[in-house]
Amino acid sequence: MTTTPNSFGALKATEQARRRRRRLIAAVVAGVVLLLVGVAIWAFWFSPLLVVKRVEVSGESLLSKDDVVTAAGVASGLPLVRVDLGAVEARVGSLNPVASVAASRSFPDAIVVEIVERELVFVRKSSEGYVWVDEDGVEFHTDAKAPKGVPVAQLGDAETRLLRDIATVVSNLPDALDGQQITMNNPSVDKIVLTLPENREVVWGSADDSSLKADVLAALLSVEARVYDVSAPNHPTTK
């Protein structure tokens, strides 16, 4: 088939029209995308639609919900995406009873704060009452009474090292002593002595080898004695 100048011109015009349509469609799509992005930015960052209206708290026991909400310091009406979750976690984490905390957004209107409180291992008797201590030697609560069945260390202010060592010892005590009232009078890093019911004593020494000492003590408790010395666990004695 022979292409005449007129037919060639028509084909060229048709191709140009197709290109214009493609450019127009691309421009329209780009415009729509930009519009949607703009609407999303407005909705998330500036509109009153997705703002903080409440703070949800879970995991609290010693602390109250109000304690946690106050520490979180999240302003009502602030867009959710503008809340600094790391800062919220840092503020709540500064509360003594808090072992760990996670903050998150719950659209459309809530900040969720999940906390895990420290677990009581023993208490330190002080002039203010009974100070609760966790496994890391951190003091996190004070009560007027000692909880039942929780070991009591009678000592003044102590460094975290000693409190942590006592926690290590208590955490390793054999199951046979669970729930029994145990006291420690002026323990030191190298000399931890536990007083059991009926005036029996366990000379533990330092917190070193606590797991082994616990195994040895578990066997020794079957022997009637007043003193169980496991400070040298490979050579324990009773008397």
Side-chain angles (χ1 to χ4, degrees):
M1 180 178 68
T2 302
T3 301
T4 65
N6 288 338
S7 62
F8 178 78
L11 289 173
K12 184 176 180 181
T14 300
E15 181 61 28
Q16 289 175 341
R18 288 175 180 170
R19 291 176 181 174
R20 285 195 295 270
R21 282 197 298 272
R22 286 196 293 267
R23 288 196 293 269
L24 179 60
I25 292 172
V28 170
V29 170
V32 171
V33 170
L34 288 174
L35 177 62
L36 292 176
V37 170
V39 170
I41 291 174
W42 173 82
F44 281 93
W45 286 85
F46 303 104
S47 83
L49 301 177
L50 303 174
V51 299
V52 177
K53 295 181 180 178
R54 55 199 171 90
V55 177
E56 298 179 354
V57 178
S58 65
E60 78 282 6
S61 177
L62 291 173
L63 294 167
S64 69
K65 179 179 178 180
D66 288 343
D67 291 333
V68 179
V69 172
T70 299
V74 180
S76 180
L78 183 69
L80 286 175
V81 295
R82 293 170 62 184
V83 175
D84 186 339
L85 297 180
V88 171
E89 292 173 348
R91 289 192 291 268
V92 175
S94 68
L95 298 172
N96 283 343
V98 176
S100 64
V101 56
S104 60
R105 301 176 180 88
S106 179
F107 290 95
D109 61 5
I111 293 296
V112 178
V113 180
E114 301 173 281
I115 65 173
V116 176
E117 292 187 347
R118 299 183 186 277
E119 294 187 9
L120 172 63
V121 175
F122 73 97
V123 295
R124 177 178 68 83
K125 188 176 181 180
S126 72
S127 58
E128 292 80 25
Y130 293 88
V131 183
W132 294 23
V133 184
D134 77 347
E135 64 181 359
D136 295 318
V138 177
E139 299 180 337
F140 62 96
H141 179 69
T142 301
D143 204 336
K145 297 181 179 180
K148 291 183 178 180
V150 176
V152 178
Q154 300 183 10
L155 72 164
D157 293 340
E159 295 182 355
T160 300
R161 157 76 188 280
L162 175 57
L163 296 176
R164 186 169 55 243
D165 284 355
I166 295 172
T168 297
V169 172
V170 171
S171 297
N172 280 279
L173 292 177
D175 294 342
L177 298 180
D178 285 352
Q180 294 191 29
Q181 191 58 56
I182 298 171
T183 59
M184 291 157 278
N185 188 29
N186 293 320
S188 64
V189 169
D190 296 320
K191 188 177 181 181
I192 297 174
V193 178
L194 303 99
T195 301
L196 310 180
E198 301 176 355
N199 290 320
R200 295 176 298 162
E201 287 188 346
V202 176
V203 180
W204 199 275
S206 71
D208 295 341
D209 300 319
S210 281
S211 179
L212 175 59
K213 291 175 181 179
D215 291 339
V216 172
L217 178 61
L220 288 182
L221 287 174
S222 62
V223 177
E224 195 73 31
R226 190 182 67 82
V227 178
Y228 304 88
D229 190 336
V230 294
S231 57
N234 293 316
H235 304 283
T237 62
T238 62
K239 59 182 180 181

